[in-house]
Amino acid sequence: MRNSILKLAAMSVAMSALAVSAPAFAQEEEAESGPITITGGITGVSDYRFRGVSLSDKDFAIQPTLTVKHESGFYVGVWGSNLAENAGDDVEVDIYAGFAGGDELTYDIGATYYVYPGVSSFNYVEFTGKLGSTVGPATVGVQLSYVPSQDNTGNNDNVYFGTNASIALPDSPISIVGSMGIEDGAFAGPDEKVDWSLGLTANVSGFTLGASYVDTNRRSTFAFKDSSAGVVFSLAYFF
């Protein structure tokens, strides 16, 4: 879709899925024991933001996800969302797979195939590596994502480097979350694009509530004011 966004209004991550919704590579809570675990969930967001850019024209989006993971660390999954009308197609489906593990230092190496049903010329693949760790009350992480040159990206590659952090408040279900990313290449436009977010999440009765301020160093990336600042609200349930 990034190519579709270059031409239309949509491109297809956050700080957390609550702030900048996107597939989270095996980050859902495990629901079963044994060699195979199946996890999933559904999130509603007031605006589907991907790396600071609104892909839903600042409208509400529903985003289901399902992941199957083996005890070895290998996982496969699917994630979806509605987005702004895109040449008659308003659905994004992300199919991902990878390998994750680690204790004090976690790692996650995977690939995502972005699919836009009915507009296959917008499909593309991206590879991502992530590292994470816990420092006191904070959980921090970094990621590096690379889109190799493909016909559907205008034969240009794309690089995205992101950082994120979550700090749990003592004796409280609330966490402070934040992220920052730098993108350069096919989806960033003529200059580097920088995005950042800062917000709160809260676990309440099995649900995760979120509110984050999201902004970038530009007002428009692929469509008028699609990268302007905004507050994104979310409600998620995972199993």
Side-chain angles (χ1 to χ4, degrees):
M1 168 181 109
R2 302 301 181 276
N3 189 43
S4 70
I5 301 178
L6 292 173
K7 297 178 180 178
L8 303 170
M11 171 183 90
S12 182
V13 285
M15 137 105 183
S16 66
L18 300 176
V20 192
S21 299
F25 289 165
Q27 291 180 359
E28 299 91 346
E29 296 179 1
E30 294 187 353
E32 300 179 10
S33 60
I36 300 293
T37 57
I38 300 176
T39 59
I42 186 166
T43 301
V45 294
S46 61
D47 182 6
Y48 171 19
R49 292 275 180 147
F50 184 82
R51 297 171 186 171
V53 181
S54 175
L55 304 188
S56 60
D57 197 20
K58 299 186 178 179
D59 286 335
F60 184 78
I62 293 291
Q63 300 167 337
T65 184
L66 185 70
T67 301
V68 179
K69 183 177 180 180
H70 187 264
E71 62 183 2
S72 65
F74 175 76
Y75 63 87
V76 296
V78 62
W79 178 94
S81 180
N82 60 289
L83 37 76
E85 185 176 353
N86 187 14
D89 179 33
D90 58 358
V91 176
E92 173 186 339
V93 178
D94 300 347
I95 303 169
Y96 54 91
F99 193 87
D103 295 314
E104 293 185 1
L105 180 65
T106 62
Y107 61 87
D108 191 340
I109 302 173
T112 301
Y113 185 49
Y114 297 87
V115 178
Y116 304 92
V119 194
S120 61
S121 61
F122 297 152
N123 300 349
Y124 71 97
V125 65
E126 179 179 67
F127 301 97
T128 295
K130 298 181 180 180
L131 292 174
S133 186
T134 299
V135 181
T139 300
V140 297
V142 296
Q143 78 170 72
L144 179 63
S145 297
Y146 176 67
V147 176
S149 175
Q150 302 160 57
D151 290 342
N152 294 352
T153 64
N155 293 312
N156 293 310
D157 61 2
N158 193 79
V159 176
Y160 182 83
F161 174 76
T163 64
N164 61 75
S166 175
I167 302 175
L169 300 182
D171 303 317
S172 168
I174 298 174
S175 295
I176 301 172
V177 297
S179 69
M180 181 176 179
I182 301 175
E183 188 166 37
D184 187 30
F187 310 140
D191 302 309
E192 285 186 345
K193 179 176 70 65
V194 181
D195 67 84
W196 57 91
S197 70
L198 181 64
L200 299 173
T201 64
N203 296 316
V204 180
S205 300
F207 291 85
T208 302
L209 309 176
S212 288
Y213 174 84
V214 184
D215 200 1
T216 70
N217 63 338
R218 59 183 67 172
R219 300 284 70 81
S220 300
T221 299
F222 307 107
F224 183 62
K225 291 187 177 180
D226 63 351
S227 299
S228 59
V231 177
V232 177
F233 298 96
S234 61
L235 174 64
Y237 175 78
F238 295 105
F239 63 84

